[in-house]
Amino acid sequence: MRLTWSHKRYCRQRAQHSRTNSSSANTTSTRVFRTRQMNGIRALMTLILMITANSVRSWTCPSDCICLSHTQILCNSGHLTFVPLRDLPKTVEHLSMTKNNLTYLPTDAFTGLRHLRKLTLDTNGIRRVDRFAFRGLGRLRELSIQHTPLESLEKFSFAGLQNVTAILLGYNQISVIHEFAFAGTANIRLILLNNNPLHTVSANAFSGLTNVEHLILPSGIQQLQPDAFNGLDSVGLLKLSFMDLTSLKPHTFRGLSHVHVLSIQDSDLGVIRADAFTGLAHVGSLNLLNNKIDAVQSLTVARENRIRHFRFNGNHVLDSPRRGTFSGLASAASDGFTVVGNHFPCDCHLFRFLDGHPFGNASRDLFTGKNYCISPLELNGQPVAVVDPAVVDKCLQTSVAAPPRTQAGVTTTAVLVAAVVLTSTGSFLHDLAM
């Protein structure tokens, strides 16, 4: 049957109407779904906000504390004898507990305060910090324990602190740092130990401590045990000053690596023993400055030490170095070395030492012009270069075996030899001054 034009028009209108109804139904269904979805999200957000608000309000400020907010709490001068963990909100970020009666910090003393960023415990009666006292404080940035009677840093007492900016331990009574006290602690800008009566740094005291910008030890250290810095890695500045040592022992710096500046200065070093710097590796600048040194048995620097620059400046050496004392400097220090402003006894040992070319191709005139005499008295304070060349030649022609040295660098045999020389020549000091 052939459809007329009116029938065709009617069919097209029916089809169009059907499509419109279908599209309208789909749109309505989508709108209903989206409305229900948004209502569900709003209800969930409301529930979360209510739970959060309740959790923030579900704590009471501890007595003797001032709670500026749920993140900043001051418990100063409160006579607290323990850390009030039950009353502190878990959201606290800055906690100050100065001028209280805390006597020790037990293991996990601050457990649960994982948001803590700054912790101040100054002016307490803290005498002991137990192992892993600060465990769990992964966000801690600054820790201060100063002006306390704390006497020692025990094994693992400050272990596991990651990403701490500063550990301030000044003005305490710390006399000993035991092994592994800072094990597992890393990424620290400053460890400050100033104004402590520290007399001994034990072997492995800093083992496991990595990436420290400044490690400042106090004055008055009397013993650096072998391997005292073993396992300490990546240090910007390690400064050792105003020490009172009997000797710089063999392997003192073994295991210390990647140090930008190692500065040993303004100290009484006693005798620098052979191998004191053996095992030290990757040092930007090794400085021995303005020290009193009884004697140098051996100051050997090898290529494997990877020291870029060596400075031996302004020291007073009471016993002249012997041949081979400064071994390897010329070839090992990649960016050179300086030996200036030092004071030595201007005796035959010194000139035999210089005759052995201890500094490679470096000018002997530079050494004699930039270093000075302690003795003889007539030449005290004057450059080594003023010594009469004839006296120097006489020293070099007289090959006398050096007697063995004691810790102080002088033996009875040496004294007897000097007496014989004085007797036979009339005045050895006068000859040197001529």
Side-chain angles (χ1 to χ4, degrees), residues 245-371:
L245 308 179
T246 56
S247 67
L248 204 55
K249 299 178 181 179
H251 308 300
T252 295
F253 298 99
R254 181 169 57 187
L256 174 62
S257 62
H258 298 93
V259 183
H260 184 62
V261 177
L262 170 56
S263 189
I264 304 169
Q265 61 188 68
D266 304 304
S267 297
D268 186 347
L269 300 183
V271 179
I272 298 180
R273 301 291 184 187
D275 297 320
F277 295 95
T278 298
L280 174 67
H282 298 280
V283 180
S285 181
L286 173 58
N287 303 330
L288 276 76
L289 310 174
N290 306 317
N291 300 293
K292 183 180 84 68
I293 301 171
D294 293 341
V296 181
Q297 282 189 349
S298 177
L299 210 166
T300 302
V301 178
R303 288 186 181 274
E304 52 266 28
N305 292 118
R306 297 183 183 274
I307 295 173
R308 295 183 59 185
H309 200 283
F310 176 80
R311 294 180 176 88
F312 189 87
N313 300 343
N315 301 288
H316 281 67
V317 183
L318 303 186
D319 189 23
S320 294
R322 273 47 169 181
R323 286 193 180 189
T325 297
F326 289 79
S327 177
L329 284 181
S331 58
S334 60
D335 288 353
F337 60 90
T338 57
V339 182
V340 299
N342 302 288
H343 291 73
F344 300 94
C346 288
D347 57 15
C348 288
H349 292 301
L350 179 64
F351 298 112
R352 294 190 189 107
F353 163 73
L354 293 175
D355 190 56
H357 303 287
F359 309 118
N361 296 325
S363 171
R364 173 173 168 168
D365 293 338
L366 179 63
F367 178 92
T368 57
K370 296 290 185 179
N371 292 279

Side-chain angles (χ1 to χ4, degrees), residues 24-325:
S24 177
N26 290 337
T27 302
T28 302
S29 177
T30 301
R31 287 177 179 174
V32 170
F33 174 76
R34 288 181 178 176
T35 300
R36 291 177 179 175
Q37 187 180 40
M38 291 302 296
N39 289 338
I41 292 174
R42 290 192 186 98
L44 180 61
M45 292 298 294
T46 301
L47 180 61
I48 292 174
L49 290 173
M50 291 176 62
I51 293 174
T52 304
N54 288 334
S55 65
V56 171
R57 290 193 296 266
S58 63
W59 60 275
T60 302
C61 188
S63 59
D64 300 319
C65 296
I66 299 174
C67 298
L68 303 179
S69 68
H70 66 278
T71 62
Q72 188 171 3
I73 298 178
L74 308 178
C75 300
N76 301 331
S77 304
H79 307 292
L80 293 172
T81 58
F82 61 92
V83 180
L85 287 177
R86 293 184 179 180
D87 298 326
L88 291 171
K90 304 304 181 184
T91 53
V92 62
E93 295 180 2
H94 294 181
L95 176 61
S96 178
M97 298 184 65
T98 64
K99 298 181 180 179
N100 282 286
N101 296 328
L102 301 176
T103 57
Y104 86 104
L105 299 177
T107 300
D108 298 323
F110 301 91
T111 186
L113 304 183
R114 56 190 181 88
H115 294 283
L116 201 59
R117 299 175 65 87
K118 182 177 181 180
L119 177 60
T120 305
L121 301 169
D122 298 345
T123 322
N124 274 280
I126 299 172
R127 294 184 177 274
R128 189 176 84 248
V129 178
D130 283 353
R131 296 184 176 195
F132 304 106
F134 307 99
R135 183 163 51 189
L137 303 184
R139 300 183 183 182
L140 190 65
R141 293 294 179 268
E142 183 176 321
L143 171 61
S144 180
I145 305 176
Q146 302 190 91
H147 300 282
T148 77
L150 182 63
E151 296 178 351
S152 66
L153 301 186
E154 300 297 329
K155 190 174 183 179
F156 301 120
S157 54
F158 291 86
L161 290 172
Q162 296 289 330
N163 302 312
V164 176
T165 301
I167 299 178
L168 308 179
L169 298 169
Y171 300 95
N172 296 305
Q173 298 300 315
I174 300 170
S175 60
V176 179
I177 300 177
H178 292 287
E179 60 180 355
F180 306 112
F182 297 93
T185 294
N187 305 317
I188 302 176
R189 290 184 181 177
L190 173 65
I191 294 181
L192 190 63
L193 288 157
N194 62 307
N195 294 89
N196 281 285
L198 182 63
H199 60 73
T200 301
V201 180
S202 303
N204 302 303
F206 300 100
S207 184
L209 178 62
T210 59
N211 198 16
V212 183
E213 289 189 16
H214 294 82
L215 176 56
I216 309 298
L217 298 182
S219 59
I221 294 175
Q222 299 175 14
Q223 288 190 62
L224 293 176
Q225 294 186 356
D227 297 316
F229 301 96
N230 184 36
L232 176 59
D233 188 19
S234 300
V235 183
L237 170 63
L238 174 55
K239 183 179 179 181
L240 302 170
S241 60
F242 301 103
M243 297 185 294
D244 186 13
L245 308 179
T246 56
S247 67
L248 204 55
K249 299 178 181 179
H251 308 300
T252 295
F253 298 99
R254 181 169 57 187
L256 174 62
S257 62
H258 298 93
V259 183
H260 184 62
V261 177
L262 170 56
S263 189
I264 304 169
Q265 61 188 68
D266 304 304
S267 297
D268 186 347
L269 300 183
V271 179
I272 298 180
R273 301 291 184 187
D275 297 320
F277 295 95
T278 298
L280 174 67
H282 298 280
V283 180
S285 181
L286 173 58
N287 303 330
L288 276 76
L289 310 174
N290 306 317
N291 300 293
K292 183 180 84 68
I293 301 171
D294 293 341
V296 181
Q297 282 189 349
S298 177
L299 210 166
T300 302
V301 178
R303 288 186 181 274
E304 52 266 28
N305 292 118
R306 297 183 183 274
I307 295 173
R308 295 183 59 185
H309 200 283
F310 176 80
R311 294 180 176 88
F312 189 87
N313 300 343
N315 301 288
H316 281 67
V317 183
L318 303 186
D319 189 23
S320 294
R322 273 47 169 181
R323 286 193 180 189
T325 297

